[in-house]
Amino acid sequence: MTAPVPVEFDTRMMARAVQLARRARYSAMPNPHVGCVLARDEQVIGEGYTQPAGGEHAEIQALRAAGNAAGATAYVTLEPCSHRGRTGPCADALIAAGVSRVVAAMTDPNPQVTGQGLARLAAAGAIVECGLLEAEARRLIPGFIARMSRGRGRVRAKLAMSLDGRTAMASGESQWITGPAARADGQRLRAMSCAIVTGSGTVLADDCALTVRAAELGLAPAAAALAAQRQPLRVVLDSRLQTPPDARVLAAGAPTLLCYAADGNAAPAPAADHIEYLPLPRAAAARGLDLALLMEALAARQCNEILVESGPRLAGALLQAGLLDAMIIYMAPALLGDAARPLLHLPLARMADKVSLQVEDVRRVGRDWRFTVAPAQGACSSG
């Protein structure tokens, strides 16, 4: 009879699987990034992590590295898949390889497949365990979990402000409030996102490209090149179709979704292959487009992580609609004065109307500070 594996070894192997999964955080989308370790007789025989879409899943990479995995234990950060997508079911591959035990950190949050991969493994005779380092595994893929559980991905706004809470001078001049380290950190947020959302006002004012640029990521060259290969979907909210045809956000090299008001606008003429137009209804009692329907449309496009880079009006509208999960605010030790533009457009009149926030993380980034804050329970409408 095989001796039981020490709990300490199991924990160390799952921690290594979590570490491996992080290597795919810039490249696995729209798939969740997963890590896998294969071990036998308390020796690692194979490791893997999710490859770019269409490539091998973590388990397949680990099996390929191991060569012979008969009798091994597989440590996986997410339940092995039981369905066929672009690749075959990983549960079947583990069974065919003779893996005798599977330890998963968490079940697949997709309600259509939850538990089926583990059930298939158990039916084939493998010992199946689930829940080891689950909290750490869930922190790897919050956007995927959100999309599977509530029908829209995780939405975060990236904002930069001065110490007095200003984002640009009254003229609109805003480059640069923060330093190079904060801007590189923001580039890495882009690289981890499936979609970047902005408004036409930001496009007209800044002519932003909204692309991931390898040279600005602050990563090792090979990692930066891999991260920049997959460009997020650029989403422009432009109710009146004001975006100039030569705007950088429409340039080739990354896909763009141009959203416009369904009423009062003729359907745009066909554009380049990388540009798509999406008509949206206007929001009730608001000037802009229906933001909840936008998030549904992005979920249908398998967008797990959605980053908002916009002016104060769109960011404020998302917050008031209850569609912002968090704000990542870079604060520079500088003052722009009371005539400069505010962080958010929030027409609040009474102290009772204030929006309460929970501080989730504070860290120094170069000479600046980065705050991650989330709306407190019940702070905003449900949208």
Side-chain angles (χ1 to χ4, degrees), residues 23 25-27 184 187-188 190-192 211-232:
R23 294 185 183 180
R25 64 189 182 276
Y26 298 120
S27 56
Q187 275 281 317
R188 292 191 290 274
R190 282 187 185 179
M192 288 185 282
T211 52
V212 176
R213 297 180 285 276
E216 299 175 27
L217 284 165
L219 299 173
L226 178 63
Q229 282 180 7
R230 185 205 59 84
Q231 291 290 334

Side-chain angles (χ1 to χ4, degrees), residues 207-209 211 234 243-256 272 274-275:
D207 194 20
C208 46
T211 52
R234 301 174 295 193
T243 302
D246 60 348
R248 296 172 67 204
V249 78
L250 299 181
T256 301
H274 69 282
I275 300 173

Side-chain angles (χ1 to χ4, degrees), residues 312-339:
R313 189 171 295 278
L314 176 55
L318 284 163
L319 180 63
Q320 289 190 302
L323 293 171
L324 269 189
D325 295 299
M327 292 182 288
I328 300 170
I329 304 171
Y330 297 92
M331 187 182 71
L335 302 172
L336 299 187
D338 59 357

Side-chain angles (χ1 to χ4, degrees), residues 172-340:
E173 181 186 0
S174 62
Q175 296 181 347
W176 295 105
I177 296 174
T178 55
R183 296 199 296 275
D185 194 68
Q187 275 281 317
R188 292 191 290 274
L189 286 177
R190 282 187 185 179
M192 288 185 282
S193 300
C194 301
I196 304 172
V197 178
T198 195
S200 58
T202 300
V203 170
L204 293 171
D206 299 340
D207 194 20
C208 46
L210 298 183
T211 52
V212 176
R213 297 180 285 276
E216 299 175 27
L217 284 165
L219 299 173
L226 178 63
Q229 282 180 7
R230 185 205 59 84
Q231 291 290 334
L233 173 68
R234 301 174 295 193
V235 182
V236 181
L237 302 187
D238 186 0
S239 58
R240 293 181 289 176
L241 291 172
Q242 301 178 91
T243 302
D246 60 348
R248 296 172 67 204
V249 78
L250 299 181
T256 301
L257 181 66
L258 198 63
C259 306
Y260 66 98
D263 62 309
N265 287 292
D273 290 343
H274 69 282
I275 300 173
E276 180 186 357
Y277 291 96
L278 176 68
L280 288 173
R282 293 185 184 274
R287 293 175 54 191
L289 301 175
D290 191 314
L291 298 174
L293 285 180
L294 169 67
M295 296 308 164
E296 290 181 14
L298 293 181
R301 288 165 171 78
Q302 296 184 291
C303 291
N304 301 320
E305 293 287 346
I306 300 162
L307 186 66
V308 179
E309 297 191 33
S310 71
R313 189 171 295 278
L314 176 55
L318 284 163
L319 180 63
Q320 289 190 302
L323 293 171
L324 269 189
D325 295 299
M327 292 182 288
I328 300 170
I329 304 171
Y330 297 92
M331 187 182 71
L335 302 172
L336 299 187
D338 59 357

Side-chain angles (χ1 to χ4, degrees), residues 77-136:
T77 58
L78 182 67
E79 173 185 5
C81 60
S82 58
H83 61 287
R84 177 172 293 277
R86 297 184 183 181
T87 60
C90 291
D92 289 355
L94 293 171
I95 292 168
V99 170
S100 60
R101 179 172 174 249
V102 177
V103 181
M106 60 179 288
T107 57
D108 191 323
N110 186 339
Q112 295 181 332
V113 299
T114 298
Q116 294 183 30
L118 296 178
R120 185 176 297 186
L121 287 157
I127 298 170
V128 173
E129 300 170 24
C130 188
L132 181 63
L133 300 190
E134 180 174 0
E136 289 83 349

